[in-house]
Amino acid sequence: MLLYWARMYVGQLKSGEAYENVSKTIQISIVNFKFLQNDHFHSTFHLMEKEKLIKFTDHLEIHVLELPKVQPTEELTDEDLLTKWMLFLSGDDKTKEELAMTDMGIEKAYDELHRISQDEVMRERAIARDKWLSDQATRREQARREGKEEGKAEGKEETVLSMHTEGFSVEIITRVMKMPEEKVLSIINQIQ
């Protein structure tokens, strides 16, 4: 998260420009896992002095939104807009539809989501991506449980083959898997 924030921050400054031209950079990370050891789903971070809690600068601000920590309440008010959006992102179709009726912005997002899902190619890509992400998560968890290097190597090979089967190019597989192109081609050629 810090690396992405730093790239956004430094990326504002062109060669030879004055430092005061750099604006405050706010990063918002929405994660689908429990990341921090607290109970609330929205955490905000700043760069602070440790003992007196004096803010060093207001240029650094990172928000972490953790989807699994969102708890639906009985009655959401207009002031609960962030909670509504989080529930929309993590909710099932019924939840999304109900939330769309409570806010115009969410309704637009719901309509766009509906429009995209009607497009067969986009739907197939979304399904393939979801499958790939689930496969990745499953392989990582299995490799972690086994704790063996050979398990990790096999998991990488399976992932390369899965990505190839799903139509990802060798270039993308190489970049995502952080493997040399020759190794990726070698794995792919084993099945052909």
Side-chain angles (χ1 to χ4, degrees), residues 23-76:
S23 301
K24 177 178 185 173
T25 302
I26 301 171
Q27 177 182 351
I28 302 171
S29 296
I30 302 172
V31 298
N32 197 20
F33 55 90
K34 291 184 179 180
F35 179 64
L36 300 168
Q37 295 181 353
N38 61 27
D39 293 332
H40 52 284
F41 72 86
H42 180 200
S43 299
T44 305
F45 296 92
H46 297 273
L47 190 58
M48 308 283 273
E49 192 278 331
K50 184 178 177 180
E51 291 182 24
K52 300 289 183 182
L53 300 178
I54 302 166
K55 192 185 291 188
F56 180 75
T57 179
D58 69 345
H59 275 227
L60 170 64
E61 185 171 315
I62 297 176
H63 295 260
V64 179
L65 302 165
E66 299 171 85
L67 291 172
K69 292 183 182 177
V70 179
Q71 298 299 318
T73 59
E74 290 296 317
E75 190 65 38
L76 292 171

Side-chain angles (χ1 to χ4, degrees), residues 136 139-140 142-144 146-162 173 177-180 183-184 186-188 190:
Q136 286 287 89
R139 285 186 189 92
R140 278 194 306 271
Q142 287 172 344
R144 194 173 324 171
E146 292 172 10
K148 298 178 182 175
E149 281 303 314
E150 61 232 36
K152 290 179 185 176
E154 288 174 15
K156 281 188 173 186
E157 288 180 9
E158 289 175 17
T159 302
V160 167
L161 293 174
S162 175
I173 296 171
M177 296 303 295
K178 297 180 176 125
M179 296 173 73
K183 178 70 175 166
V184 171
S186 168
I187 293 168
I188 292 171
Q190 289 176 9

Side-chain angles (χ1 to χ4, degrees), residues 124-151:
E124 287 177 12
R125 285 182 184 165
I127 289 169
R129 185 176 188 287
D130 287 347
K131 181 185 179 300
W132 181 77
L133 288 170
S134 294
D135 289 348
Q136 286 287 89
T138 301
R139 285 186 189 92
R140 278 194 306 271
E141 186 57 35
Q142 287 172 344
R144 194 173 324 171
R145 266 189 261 129
E146 292 172 10
K148 298 178 182 175
E149 281 303 314
E150 61 232 36

Side-chain angles (χ1 to χ4, degrees), residues 1 14 20 35 40 53-54 67 73 79 82-83 89 96-97 118-119 128 137 147 151 165 169 174 177 186:
M1 289 179 193
K14 309 242 183 319
E20 56 262 6
F35 179 64
H40 52 284
L53 300 178
I54 302 166
L67 291 172
T73 59
E79 287 79 39
L82 181 58
T83 303
L89 290 173
K96 285 178 172 54
E97 187 175 358
Q118 298 304 313
D119 183 336
T165 303
S169 69
T174 301
M177 296 303 295
S186 168

